DNA sequence: ATTCCGTGTGTACAATGTAAACAAACTTAG
DNA sequence: CTAAGTTTGTTTACATTGTACACACGGAAT
């Protein structure tokens, strides 16, 4: 029987738990965030509509777990993109582009991650941690970059990661929410993204009185 | 029903349509987006739960109308802030700060505006128009600013408004979604916002090989 | 074996979005 | 002014959702 008494209480959920998360992500991709329903997820997993409650206290907890998975995947994407680069500058751009690509590839999941579920530290510590880790990933790359071009302003040093994240996140959000270029051609959209990302590099230049 | 202080200076006639929009905004502010329900709005307005259907084809149409109102108010805020400035540079900053202030003052409404209702040109032309007008407001200020500091890159000329909007929008979103500084003090948060906004000005400087 | 507990099922209920039939008030033609 | 139609709101009804509760089944510890 291989009695594997788990020595660590790592929340290694049952198979169903992960299956539910997977089905939820599938629904998010195919039908969107509005169509994500607890009963629908249970149906997709082939269990009764009450089964999820054995693994999540309520719908919000499921959403939090899904969002957490999303943050982990986003972190992995950024890490993979960063590992393929040589310079700190390239790394920054690669991470930003990975972020953007993630948002465009999984708009439903992305909207959930930054949408209805607040990463409340006390209620969803794992989600809060995953969100923090994602940001830390960005911040590290930014710090590395600012270290290469010596930076005068110490306050900016702290604010730069925030600004970088805000820019990429804002661009992603506007993009997938159709707030510009809805009817434009895809290559046109890509071109604009490239231009904005180029501008994005300017915030790392020390200021000159203009 | 005692009329709670109307938070928005909307045309308040006997017109149920506008009353519904007003109540929806009030609910958005007090209870948040998740609590915004068609029946709840009708209840708040003191009518039967089917009355709204005489003015909106479905819930999404109500949300679109509310979002449209939000965009108009945001545009007005930005316009008011801009009118108090002298230089193009100040105007830009004032508009950005007005945007941020709006998001923090009405997080529920803001989330609706950039959330579930896509500004679909064919389904909600008025909403699409209001969203476009808001962006045009930003773009105009940016163009004015770039005109003052002569700009070399023509591509950047087109992308600059996008970048500016993305940065301010991203900062607003991260802020109200609690993705950083959740537990920090308010003045600390304000300081960080100021720093990021300062960085924000750098994207207008022509690039130098760094 | 018996007991217990983790996991899943069925039933039940309140809230929601929406359809359909109806009613009262206002508008307009005669 | 009356009669018809239109606008606006109401009541009733129903499917879907999130969730509480009681139960069933299978393995683990006693």
């Amino acid at each position: 029987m291989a009695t594997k008494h788990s020595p660590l209480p790592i929340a290694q959920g049952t198979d169903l738990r992960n299956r539910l998360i997977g089905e939820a992500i599938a629904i998010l991709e195919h039908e969107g965030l509005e169509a994500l329903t607890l009963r629908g997820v249970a149906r997709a997993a082939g269990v009764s509509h009450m089964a999820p409650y054995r693994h999540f206290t309520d719908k919000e907890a499921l959403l939090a777990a899904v969002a957490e998975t999303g943050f982990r995947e986003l972190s992995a994407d950024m890490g993979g993109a960063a590992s393929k680069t040589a310079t700190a500058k390239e790394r920054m751009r690669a991470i930003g582009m990975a972020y953007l690509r993630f948002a465009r590839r999984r708009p439903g999941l992305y909207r959930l991650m930054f949408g209805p579920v607040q990463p409340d530290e006390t209620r969803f510590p794992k989600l809060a941690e995953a969100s923090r880790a994602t940001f830390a990933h960005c911040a590290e790359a930014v710090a590395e970059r600012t270290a290469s071009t010596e930076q005068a302003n110490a306050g900016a040093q702290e604010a730069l990661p925030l600004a970088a994240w805000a820019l990429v996140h804002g661009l992603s959000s506007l993009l997938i929410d159709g707030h510009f270029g809805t009817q434009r051609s895809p290559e046109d959209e890509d071109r604009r993204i490239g231009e904005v990302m180029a501008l994005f590099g300017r915030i790392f230049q020390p200021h000159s009185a203009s």
Side-chain angles (χ1 to χ4, degrees), chain A residues 137-157:
Chain A
H137 227 292
C138 302
E140 191 189 348
V142 171
E144 201 182 343
R145 207 248 203 241
T146 58
S148 72
T149 84
E150 89 275 31
Q151 197 72 28
N153 195 336
Q157 196 82 356

Side-chain angles (χ1 to χ4, degrees), chain A residues 1 8 31 36 59 61 78 113 121-122 151 153-154 181 184 190:
Chain A
M1 292 40 161
L8 284 185
E31 332 262 331
L36 182 57
K59 186 187 181 184
M78 298 195 307
M113 288 159 57
E121 181 57 60
T122 70
Q151 197 72 28
N153 195 336
R184 246 179 287 273
D190 282 349

Side-chain angles (χ1 to χ4, degrees), chain A residues 16-56:
Chain A
L16 180 57
R17 185 192 153 97
N18 287 328
R19 239 183 342 162
L20 289 171
I21 295 179
E23 296 293 348
I25 292 181
I27 292 176
L28 275 177
E29 294 204 32
H30 296 42
E31 332 262 331
L33 176 54
E34 318 300 316
L36 182 57
T37 194
L38 197 52
R39 286 169 106 114
V41 173
R43 223 174 290 137
V47 293
S48 81
H49 63 265
M50 284 304 288
Y53 283 93
R54 293 294 145 190
H55 302 271
F56 306 97

Side-chain angles (χ1 to χ4, degrees), chain A residues 188-208:
Chain A
D188 208 45
E189 195 170 278
D190 282 349
R191 185 177 53 73
R192 294 183 137 237
I193 290 174
E195 291 169 2
V196 172
M197 288 299 283
L199 255 33
F200 162 57
R202 292 189 182 172
I203 65 175
F204 295 102
Q205 299 172 206
H207 76 288
S208 69

Side-chain angles (χ1 to χ4, degrees), chain A residues 153-177:
Chain A
N153 195 336
Q157 196 82 356
E158 196 191 337
L160 262 173
L162 238 42
W165 193 17
L167 182 37
V168 174
H169 175 63
L171 187 55
S172 302
S173 297
L174 293 179
L175 213 50
I176 68 178
D177 282 350

Side-chain angles (χ1 to χ4, degrees), chain A residues 103-159:
Chain A
R104 296 172 85 191
R105 180 160 40 98
R106 298 191 174 326
L109 180 54
Y110 186 84
R111 257 195 283 266
L112 168 64
M113 288 159 57
F114 292 97
V117 185
Q118 228 84 345
D120 184 333
E121 181 57 60
T122 70
R123 185 144 152 61
F124 303 118
K126 306 247 306 284
L127 170 60
E129 215 288 310
S131 159
R132 222 180 302 124
T134 300
F135 176 44
H137 227 292
C138 302
E140 191 189 348
V142 171
E144 201 182 343
R145 207 248 203 241
T146 58
S148 72
T149 84
E150 89 275 31
Q151 197 72 28
N153 195 336
Q157 196 82 356
E158 196 191 337

